[in-house]
Amino acid sequence: MNDSIRASIGKVVCVGRNYAEHARELGNEVPKSPILFMKPASSVVSVRNDIVRPNPAVYGDTHYEAELCIQLAADLSAATPEQAQQAIGGVTVGLDLTLRDLQSKLKEKGHPWERAKCFDGACVLADWLEPQAFGDFSQVSYQLVINDELRQDGDSALMLFSVYDLLAEISHAFSLQAGDVIMTGTPSGVGILHENDVLKLTLGAHEWQVKVR
């Protein structure tokens, strides 16, 4: 996938509760089909910049959720898993940031989550890597370390819905376009970001570091 496509993000599709242990740690049911929500392109920032939290005094805690992320190089609509495989153009690791206190209040009222999930900087993405390096995505490991302590240890083998099946399923719900990003869900271990935390994200042999302010 060329750099111009990589830089052009139309939407970010997020998958909730794709790891059973994460669903349980938040007291949620383990889903029988993918739970989907979106972030706008305006929420995306690079891991090469500091993470800027919304004012905690106003918005409460910001939680981190490390995720394996896929970017498409081709459009997908009502696709098969085999077609989804061919459409993948880039792979990286990212952070789905959540204003958890606000999200809880919105959920209690039955309101949508956008205010807690779509703020500027709510989607932190590392550099895109070529998908061929990750085989069939059946066993891709990634980690989040904060202040030298392992917080999240993810592996696509533990996903409830595999990468190809997930992309195909989403494309049956609504069309995906070249440049769209899919955040495939977070493993257990989510928690609060604090000022001056130093985060290290790893994906295979690749590593990125970012500071929180």
Side-chain angles (χ1 to χ4, degrees):
M1 184 170 63
N2 63 48
D3 290 339
S4 64
I5 295 294
R6 289 176 179 169
S8 178
I9 295 175
K11 59 183 175 287
V12 180
V13 182
C14 304
V15 181
R17 308 179 201 169
N18 199 19
Y19 290 80
E21 286 304 315
H22 171 60
R24 295 187 185 105
E25 77 176 342
L26 294 184
N28 296 317
E29 292 183 2
V30 176
K32 293 182 173 59
S33 61
I35 296 173
L36 306 177
F37 61 95
M38 294 192 203
K39 292 176 184 276
S42 58
S43 71
V44 177
V45 295
S46 171
V47 75
R48 294 182 178 275
N49 301 316
D50 289 348
I51 292 174
V52 180
R53 301 168 301 154
N55 187 344
V58 177
Y59 296 100
D61 294 330
T62 299
H63 279 215
Y64 58 82
E65 300 181 18
E67 311 202 11
L68 180 69
C69 302
I70 305 292
Q71 190 173 39
L72 298 183
D75 296 351
L76 281 180
S77 181
T80 65
E82 292 74 23
Q83 290 169 327
Q85 177 182 1
Q86 296 303 314
I88 296 174
V91 184
T92 194
V93 65
L95 294 169
D96 168 13
L97 300 186
T98 306
L99 297 173
R100 190 72 74 197
D101 298 332
L102 178 57
Q103 184 191 36
S104 296
K105 292 176 183 177
L106 292 168
K107 287 170 70 175
E108 286 173 3
K109 296 177 180 180
H111 292 176
W113 301 348
E114 278 83 355
R115 288 181 179 271
K117 286 280 192 179
C118 297
F119 56 90
D120 292 356
C123 178
V124 182
L125 295 178
D127 302 321
W128 292 108
L129 306 171
E130 296 298 332
Q132 292 79 10
F134 299 92
D136 63 0
F137 292 93
S138 63
Q139 198 166 7
V140 179
S141 64
Y142 58 98
Q143 292 79 33
L144 171 64
V145 174
I146 301 181
N147 303 327
D148 296 322
E149 179 185 345
L150 179 64
R151 297 292 183 87
Q152 291 190 275
D153 191 5
D155 194 314
S156 61
L158 300 176
M159 289 180 177
L160 297 174
F161 311 102
S162 66
V163 170
Y164 301 151
D165 288 344
L166 195 56
L167 297 180
E169 172 76 17
I170 295 170
S171 79
H172 281 262
F174 46 80
S175 292
L176 295 168
Q177 298 172 307
D180 285 353
V181 172
I182 296 84
M183 304 190 82
T184 61
T186 193
S188 61
V190 302
I192 302 169
L193 289 178
H194 300 93
E195 186 176 6
N196 296 322
D197 279 347
V198 177
L199 280 60
K200 183 173 69 175
L201 286 161
T202 61
L203 175 57
H206 301 271
E207 180 179 304
W208 300 266
Q209 186 167 294
V210 61
K211 187 174 181 179
V212 178
R213 60 184 177 90

